[in-house]
């Protein structure tokens, strides 16, 4: 069993850095909740290596990520202030048979952030998200002990990508100013005549709004695919994943309400709004006991029309949805 103090340390990291995800984690059953604290803390420890505006040089970042990789895989003893988190994760990985591949592709994605700050096409971004998002979803499925993993996997991948893309769309301002990164595909920017100077100078033009509309629509298609797979998760975990989807998707409502302006200020959910969404989602969950029905009854994303449905796993970078 993971040490109680290590769980507390991991939980405090999530409380401090992931308020939206923390609320959803709290409604998980205990058997998964504690493990999720550890997973999130591990992801944050690695992410923090590359997400420091005035952090150390590339060589130091690479070295630290390799130390984290070796400790996470149980190949070396964890050291430093993050030792407790890394030791807890290594134990969790072994107990739940999390494949080494998932750890490796996650760390590889963090290392990509050191050298790569632009993505030419959406397909290029999908390749990055295999490590930064899909690996996270796969590890969560291992912790949940999903019985129908092969059936659930493409849906989980779509939902993980949707969450990541929502973060990218919300954080355009922060990413370019603090980290010098642009996660909007260069092809989409070029198609609408938007330059990086427009992003840096907060020029919220009609062309920029068109970029956001394109990427929001693409992301919402992934929510459609992802939410459709919640039914394949253990019943005691479905509500928490549903709530996560509702909370992340709510940023789309905020973005649209601001006229797609994510350049002058980063949209954020208030605590009151998060709690309201929790209550409303729970009411619809108890009423329907159907994750898709509850999601479309509450969330900022409309139910897809039959003509708009796309087979799970399809990624067409030439189309917004």
């Amino acid at each position: 069993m993971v040490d109680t103090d290590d769980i507390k340390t991991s939980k405090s990291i999530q409380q401090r850095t992931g308020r939206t995800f923390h609320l959803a984690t709290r409604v998980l059953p205990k058997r998964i909740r504690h493990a999720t604290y550890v997973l999130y803390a591990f992801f944050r420890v690695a992410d923090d290596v590359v997400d420091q505006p005035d952090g150390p040089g590339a060589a130091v970042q690479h070295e630290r990520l390799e130390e984290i990789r070796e400790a996470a895989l149980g190949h070396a003893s964890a050291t430093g202030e993050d030792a407790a988190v890394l030791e807890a994760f290594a134990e969790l990985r072994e107990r739940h048979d999390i494949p080494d591949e998932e750890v490796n592709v996650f760390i590889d994605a963090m290392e990509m952030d050191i050298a790569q700050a632009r993505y030419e096409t959406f397909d290029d971004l999908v390749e990055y998200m295999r490590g930064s998002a899909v690996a996270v979803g796969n590890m969560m499925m291992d912790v949940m002990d999903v019985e129908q993993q092969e059936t659930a996997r493409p849906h989980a991948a779509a939902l993980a990508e949707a969450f990541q893309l929502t973060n990218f769309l919300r954080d355009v301002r922060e990413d370019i100013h603090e980290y010098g990164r642009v996660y909007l595909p260069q092809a989409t920017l070029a198609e609408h005549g938007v330059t990086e100077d427009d992003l840096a100078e907060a020029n919220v033009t009609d062309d920029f709004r068109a970029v956001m509309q394109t990427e929001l629509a693409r992301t919402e298609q992934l929510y459609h695919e992802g939410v459709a797979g919640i039914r394949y998760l253990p019943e005691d975990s479905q509500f928490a994943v549903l709530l996560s989807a509702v909370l992340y998707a709510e940023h789309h409502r905020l973005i649209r309400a601001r006229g797609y302006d994510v350049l002058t200020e980063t949209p954020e959910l208030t605590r009151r709004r998060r709690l309201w969404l929790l209550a409303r989602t729970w009411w619809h969950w108890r009423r329907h006991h159907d994750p898709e029905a509850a999601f479309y009854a509450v969330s900022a994303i409309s139910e897809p029309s039959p003509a708009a449905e796309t087979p799970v796993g399809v990624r067409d970078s030439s189309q917004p949805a």
Side-chain angles (χ1 to χ4, degrees):
M1 294 294 292
V2 176
D3 186 86
T4 301
D5 288 340
D6 293 345
I7 292 173
K8 288 180 179 178
T9 299
S10 299
K11 179 179 178 180
S12 68
I13 291 173
Q14 191 190 72
Q15 287 175 312
R16 185 175 69 252
T17 61
R19 291 173 296 177
T20 296
F21 192 62
H22 180 63
L23 178 59
T25 302
R26 288 176 61 185
V27 300
L28 281 167
K30 184 177 179 180
R31 69 181 182 87
I32 299 170
R33 185 168 64 249
H34 289 174
T36 303
Y37 291 144
V38 172
L39 283 180
Y40 182 91
F42 167 66
F43 301 144
R44 177 53 60 186
V45 162
D47 196 48
D48 282 349
V49 173
V50 296
D51 276 0
Q52 300 179 52
D54 299 314
V60 175
Q61 292 179 53
H62 279 297
E63 182 180 0
R64 180 55 184 154
L65 285 172
E66 287 307 311
E67 291 173 354
I68 290 172
R69 187 198 304 269
E70 292 301 296
L73 293 173
H75 297 162
S77 298
T79 59
E81 61 182 11
D82 301 317
V85 169
L86 296 175
E87 289 171 358
F89 175 81
E91 184 176 341
L92 192 74
R93 175 193 56 78
E94 186 173 347
R95 181 167 13 121
H96 291 280
D97 294 322
I98 294 174
D100 289 0
E101 177 191 3
E102 302 302 332
V103 178
N104 282 321
V105 296
F106 172 74
I107 297 296
D108 289 346
M110 298 302 98
E111 295 201 338
M112 284 178 67
D113 271 334
I114 300 173
Q116 184 167 350
R118 306 291 186 274
Y119 295 87
E120 185 62 32
T121 67
F122 181 71
D123 287 340
D124 294 331
L125 195 58
V126 168
E127 183 178 350
Y128 166 74
M129 290 192 295
R130 169 62 184 93
S132 68
V134 176
V136 173
N138 288 343
M139 289 187 225
M140 278 297 303
M141 284 203 298
D142 288 330
V143 166
M144 288 181 181
D145 195 22
V146 177
E147 292 184 2
Q148 302 182 60
Q149 276 226 15
E150 292 309 308
T151 303
R153 189 176 297 277
H155 295 285
L159 194 58
E161 289 174 350
F163 289 173
Q164 178 86 88
L165 290 170
T166 292
N167 282 345
F168 289 159
L169 293 172
R170 180 196 64 194
D171 294 340
V172 175
R173 176 178 177 273
E174 177 183 328
D175 285 334
I176 193 167
H177 284 290
E178 295 192 17
Y179 309 115
R181 298 180 192 143
V182 176
Y183 290 107
L184 296 170
Q186 297 294 300
T188 306
L189 294 173
E191 178 185 353
H192 295 285
V194 175
T195 67
E196 290 192 16
D197 285 344
D198 289 327
L199 304 184
E201 296 169 8
N203 294 325
V204 186
T205 62
D206 287 343
D207 289 333
F208 176 73
R209 293 185 183 95
V211 168
M212 292 296 292
Q213 289 169 344
T214 296
E215 295 306 321
L216 283 167
R218 194 200 308 271
T219 303
E220 288 171 7
Q221 176 61 53
L222 290 168
Y223 275 100
H224 296 323
E225 297 177 15
V227 170
I230 293 176
R231 68 181 70 251
Y232 301 117
L233 303 178
E235 188 170 349
D236 63 358
S237 303
Q238 290 181 18
F239 176 71
V241 178
L242 166 65
L243 179 61
S244 293
V246 168
L247 292 171
Y248 273 87
E250 184 66 12
H251 288 91
H252 293 210
R253 192 192 312 275
L254 296 181
I255 290 169
R256 288 190 171 101
R258 291 175 52 81
Y260 304 96
D261 177 8
V262 293
L263 299 181
T264 62
E265 188 178 351
T266 299
E268 291 187 6
L269 290 178
T270 64
R271 182 174 183 272
R272 181 177 180 180
R273 185 65 178 176
R274 290 196 300 270
L275 293 176
W276 184 87
L277 289 167
L278 166 62
R280 186 166 169 78
T281 304
W282 176 249
W283 188 87
H284 281 282
W285 172 249
R286 292 298 297 266
R287 180 184 179 192
H288 301 290
H289 211 69
D290 178 329
E292 286 184 272
F295 178 77
Y296 293 118
V298 181
S299 84
I301 295 176
S302 301
E303 187 171 5
S305 62
E309 291 180 356
T310 302
V312 169
V314 170
R315 300 286 187 274
D316 183 352
S317 61
S318 68
Q319 298 295 328

